[in-house]
Amino acid sequence: MLEFSLTSVARRFLVFFALLSGIQGDCGAPPKLINAIPKVDIHGKSFPPGTTVIYKCLDNFYNIHAKSDVVTCLAESKWTNIEEFCERSCLDPPRVQFANMREEDKQSYYTAGTTVTYICRNTHSIIPGIDSVITCLDNYTWTAVPVFCKGKSCGDPGSPPNGKAIILTDLLYLARVNFTCDDGYTLIGSPSTRCLRKGDGVKWQNKPPVCERIIASTMTATFSSGQTKTDVISIGPTVKLSGDATTHIPATTALITPTAFASGQTEKDDKSLGDCNRPERIPHAELRSGELKDTYPVGTTLTYRCIPGYELIRGIIPRITCTGTSTWSPEAPEFCQGKRCAPPDLENGRVTTSTDYRLGAEITFTCDFGFRLIGRNSARCTLAGGVVAWDYQGPLCQRIPCFPPPEIDNGSSDYDGSRDYDYGQVATYTCQPSFTLIGSKNLVCTTKDGKNGEWDKPAPECKVVSCRRPEIANGNVLSPFQASYPYDHSLTLNCNEGYTLTGSNIIKCGADSQWKPSVPTCLFGTTITTTTTTTTTTTSSEGETPSGPATVPTVSPTESREETTKHEIGTTLSPVSDVPKDDSGSVNYIAISVGAVVGVLVLIAIVVIALKYRARHNEKGKINTSGPTKPYDVVPQNPDIALEEKSTQNV
């Protein structure tokens, strides 16, 4: 029984520890992040509650905003929350020869849009007009580093008197200059110098050497009185002759005459006797082996080779020989010429100066029209590491850009923000529905100064344009009927027979919805002059009744009888010159003429009726003589006034 109780208790403890271990279990693998990983290897490890894991950013990613980089395993077997804390960055800015990055721009990371400025070192200065700034782009790469530094100049290296300086490349930092002496002079000092750093600038390493004149040795000869002037002897630098005895020293053969050297006479030799002196330095060449000596015996041959950066001139044998006249042959040799740099290749540009691409040559770059030059406009063929190459690989000829085309109301261009417009490219405009484009729909990117782009004309406008169909009195519009017309639409007009058109017979709908030029008028061919004589009353179109002078026509002798009759009955005609233009109330001479004829006929009818009426009453008076008479007065020529009875009597 006791054994059973112990076993039961043990089992309960086991269950308790099992439950406890379930509550306090591991958290499992820590969370995975996209741009970061744990600092330590977590493979095969357990993570009980309280364990912390620290993360580190991947290469080119940084904890820019100082977010939490740690997770902790909690008691409930869960990791604390963590969010992405690493952001992409550009790599460290590239190193630039002869320049350093500005200290204030140095960072541990570089986000997109970050700029870095370089400063030239003491041995160099910045090229005017070149920006020494690079930018971290959106794809986390740096913009190209321009060539913005050029070496400082050491200035004129000077040249020794009776000698000259040979400039191998240029006078800038690290340049080298060789020195040579003229014929008859020997070089004392360093045969070359270099432009090196000195303090905050540059300075030539050595001063120019000294060129000293070469002094010939002295020779003494004694002749016996019996020697003839045609005796030939062999002499060296110093020869002594006594009587008929002759001392021979291996040398060149020379002709000595008694007249040249009397008994006991001394004279200086002049290089035509004896060995050759040290040869002059040959440009761009050096001895193939050994060093130059002060003197060489006759017949000596020296062989040369070209120094680095130079090559042998075709067909030339690089050697000199000491001749019997104590001179070197050839006298002033040139064995070597500079090697050629590869022909420059400039896309959208060309080389405008120098066709010689050999060492030391300088070339100038020019971009094609429509392109602008970014970088230096020149380069020099130099020697670097034993190889000739251009000290500048060439600028960039960039197509001249224009700013985005201007925005317009009620319309737009084909610019979508994803591209730029360069020289020669066209921006096209369109208008929204119901709007008309006024101006040119195409703008071309051009340039005036060869550097900056600009649009060749102003941007167009989008407007609502509608011209109403024109009305022309005594004329017609020669086109199918339309109530309105769009911008720039043309119409042709003409006048009725007997009328003359004043103005243009072709009009166009303008941007202000008006016809251009204005609608013409049709004028009748006859001109009538008028004068003002009386006052009459007329009614205006607004209903007012102004008083003013009336016009009475003055008829010329050439007018017809019908026209005279019109004036006699009071018809008023307006002068042709006063006819309102383009007005519905314009004078219609045909209507006036018809009205005048009708008026005359009516007047004649009234007169005839009045005469008949009078004749009838006269006949009645003659028949009835006994009765009272009723005389009447007839008022002729006034059809608007009725006959009046003079007196009334009843018989």
Side-chain angles (χ1 to χ4, degrees):
M1 189 71 177
L2 179 59
E3 180 181 356
F4 174 79
S5 298
L6 290 173
T7 303
S8 177
V9 171
R11 288 178 178 176
R12 289 182 180 181
F13 269 102
L14 290 174
V15 172
F16 173 78
F17 282 114
L19 292 173
L20 183 62
S21 63
I23 296 173
Q24 299 290 332
D26 291 346
C27 281
K32 290 185 178 181
L33 299 179
I34 298 175
N35 302 323
I37 59 174
K39 283 188 175 182
V40 296
D41 185 14
I42 61 173
H43 183 70
K45 293 186 177 181
S46 61
F47 303 96
T51 303
T52 60
V53 175
I54 302 175
Y55 290 83
K56 64 177 181 180
C57 295
L58 299 175
D59 292 342
N60 300 342
F61 288 85
Y62 297 87
N63 190 349
I64 295 174
H65 303 293
K67 295 180 180 179
S68 175
D69 58 355
V70 178
V71 292
T72 303
C73 180
L74 301 176
E76 57 268 28
S77 302
K78 291 183 179 180
W79 292 102
T80 55
N81 292 329
I82 186 172
E83 60 181 356
E84 292 284 347
F85 62 88
C86 298
E87 292 190 19
R88 187 79 180 270
S89 167
C90 278
L91 295 173
D92 289 340
R95 294 187 174 221
V96 177
Q97 189 179 19
F98 309 127
N100 296 320
M101 189 171 63
R102 196 168 58 178
E103 286 296 327
E104 53 265 37
D105 292 343
K106 293 182 178 180
Q107 303 178 26
S108 58
Y109 54 84
Y110 301 89
T111 57
T114 302
T115 59
V116 169
T117 302
Y118 290 92
I119 299 175
C120 298
R121 296 177 188 170
N122 293 339
T123 57
H124 285 67
S125 58
I126 193 165
I127 301 173
I130 304 298
D131 196 358
S132 61
V133 177
I134 62 173
T135 304
C136 178
L137 302 176
D138 292 337
N139 61 355
Y140 298 101
T141 61
W142 292 102
T143 54
V145 180
V147 177
F148 53 85
C149 290
K150 69 175 181 179
K152 291 182 179 178
S153 175
C154 280
D156 185 2
S159 58
N162 304 310
K164 60 183 177 180
I166 300 175
I167 300 173
L168 299 179
T169 55
D170 49 35
L171 302 178
L172 306 181
Y173 177 65
L174 295 182
R176 182 169 179 166
V177 174
N178 290 341
F179 299 103
T180 61
C181 293
D182 298 337
D183 292 341
Y185 293 85
T186 184
L187 187 145
I188 307 299
S190 176
S192 65
T193 185
R194 296 193 72 187
C195 181
L196 300 176
R197 178 179 176 180
K198 186 73 172 179
D200 292 336
V202 293
K203 189 176 181 181
W204 291 110
Q205 181 183 22
N206 301 314
K207 294 182 179 180
V210 175
C211 291
E212 290 187 353
R213 187 174 184 84
I214 299 174
I215 301 175
S217 58
T218 303
M219 178 183 296
T220 303
T222 303
F223 291 86
S224 63
S225 58
Q227 201 169 22
T228 63
K229 62 180 180 179
T230 58
D231 291 339
V232 177
I233 61 173
S234 298
I235 62 173
T238 302
V239 177
K240 282 191 177 184
L241 302 177
S242 178
D244 295 331
T246 302
T247 301
H248 293 277
I249 301 176
T252 187
T253 301
L255 179 64
I256 306 297
T257 62
T259 57
F261 295 100
S263 179
Q265 187 178 6
T266 62
E267 185 67 30
K268 294 181 179 180
D269 68 357
D270 59 355
K271 289 188 181 179
S272 62
L273 305 174
D275 296 343
C276 292
N277 293 324
R278 176 196 294 261
E280 296 292 334
R281 182 176 295 275
I282 299 175
H284 318 308
E286 61 185 2
L287 281 179
R288 182 171 292 277
S289 62
E291 296 291 334
L292 288 175
K293 301 177 182 179
D294 291 335
T295 60
Y296 290 89
V298 174
T300 302
T301 298
L302 300 178
T303 304
Y304 287 80
R305 64 184 175 188
C306 297
I307 63 175
Y310 292 83
E311 61 186 1
L312 193 65
I313 299 175
R314 189 171 184 179
I316 298 295
I317 300 176
R319 65 190 180 195
I320 58 175
T321 302
C322 179
T323 66
T325 58
S326 300
T327 60
W328 293 98
S329 178
E331 292 184 1
E334 287 192 11
F335 301 146
C336 304
Q337 61 184 355
K339 291 183 178 179
R340 290 182 183 272
C341 282
D345 183 17
L346 180 61
E347 186 176 2
N348 302 315
R350 60 195 182 280
V351 176
T352 56
T353 59
S354 179
T355 56
D356 181 9
Y357 299 149
R358 294 190 181 276
L359 181 64
E362 186 169 350
I363 57 176
T364 301
F365 299 103
T366 300
C367 291
D368 296 338
F369 192 79
F371 294 82
R372 62 183 180 182
L373 189 143
I374 306 298
R376 284 169 48 188
N377 68 341
S378 64
R380 182 184 290 272
C381 183
T382 60
L383 179 65
V387 178
V388 293
W390 299 108
D391 64 346
Y392 177 54
Q393 293 305 311
L396 169 67
C397 284
Q398 178 192 57
R399 188 178 288 275
I400 297 175
C402 278
F403 287 109
E407 295 182 356
I408 61 174
D409 296 332
N410 308 313
S412 61
S413 68
D414 55 3
Y415 176 67
D416 57 5
S418 63
R419 67 184 183 95
D420 295 327
Y421 289 88
D422 298 330
Y423 175 82
Q425 293 184 330
V426 178
T428 303
Y429 284 85
T430 55
C431 292
Q432 297 175 3
S434 75
F435 287 87
T436 300
L437 190 141
I438 309 301
S440 175
K441 71 175 183 178
N442 293 326
L443 303 187
V444 181
C445 179
T446 61
T447 182
K448 290 182 178 178
D449 59 5
K451 297 180 180 179
N452 302 296
E454 59 182 54
W455 297 106
D456 64 336
K457 59 180 76 69
E461 299 179 89
C462 289
K463 301 173 64 176
V464 176
V465 178
S466 179
C467 293
R468 297 181 60 186
R469 185 178 178 86
E471 294 183 359
I472 177 170
N474 304 309
N476 303 288
V477 178
L478 300 181
S479 69
F481 177 81
Q482 286 182 223
S484 62
Y485 298 89
Y487 169 71
D488 212 34
H489 188 87
S490 298
L491 292 179
T492 302
L493 311 175
N494 69 353
C495 293
N496 296 335
E497 186 176 357
Y499 290 83
T500 302
L501 187 141
T502 301
S504 175
N505 68 326
I506 297 177
I507 56 177
K508 281 188 176 183
C509 182
D512 57 353
S513 298
Q514 300 295 323
W515 292 103
K516 307 294 181 185
S518 59
V519 179
T521 56
C522 291
L523 301 180
F524 189 66
T526 304
T527 302
I528 304 176
T529 58
T530 62
T531 57
T532 302
T533 56
T534 59
T535 302
T536 185
T537 301
T538 60
T539 303
S540 68
S541 61
E542 285 85 7
E544 300 176 354
T545 309
S547 297
T551 58
V552 178
T554 301
V555 183
S556 64
T558 60
E559 290 181 303
S560 64
R561 180 60 186 166
E562 182 180 357
E563 290 173 333
T564 304
T565 304
K566 294 178 193 175
H567 297 313
E568 289 176 350
I569 62 176
T571 303
T572 303
L573 299 178
S574 298
V576 174
S577 60
D578 292 335
V579 176
K581 295 183 179 179
D582 229 358
D583 188 14
S584 60
S586 301
V587 176
N588 192 323
Y589 286 97
I590 297 176
I592 293 175
S593 300
V594 173
V597 172
V598 173
V600 171
L601 294 176
V602 172
L603 179 60
I604 293 173
I606 293 174
V607 172
V608 170
I609 293 173
L611 292 175
K612 287 183 178 181
Y613 182 81
R614 182 176 181 180
R616 186 177 62 181
H617 278 276
N618 288 338
E619 290 177 358
K620 287 182 180 181
K622 292 179 181 180
I623 296 172
N624 189 10
T625 56
S626 61
T629 61
K630 295 182 179 181
Y632 292 89
D633 291 332
V634 178
V635 182
Q637 299 179 355
N638 192 350
D640 297 329
I641 303 178
L643 298 177
E644 295 184 81
E645 185 179 349
K646 208 172 186 183
S647 62
T648 305
Q649 291 183 356
N650 294 322
V651 179

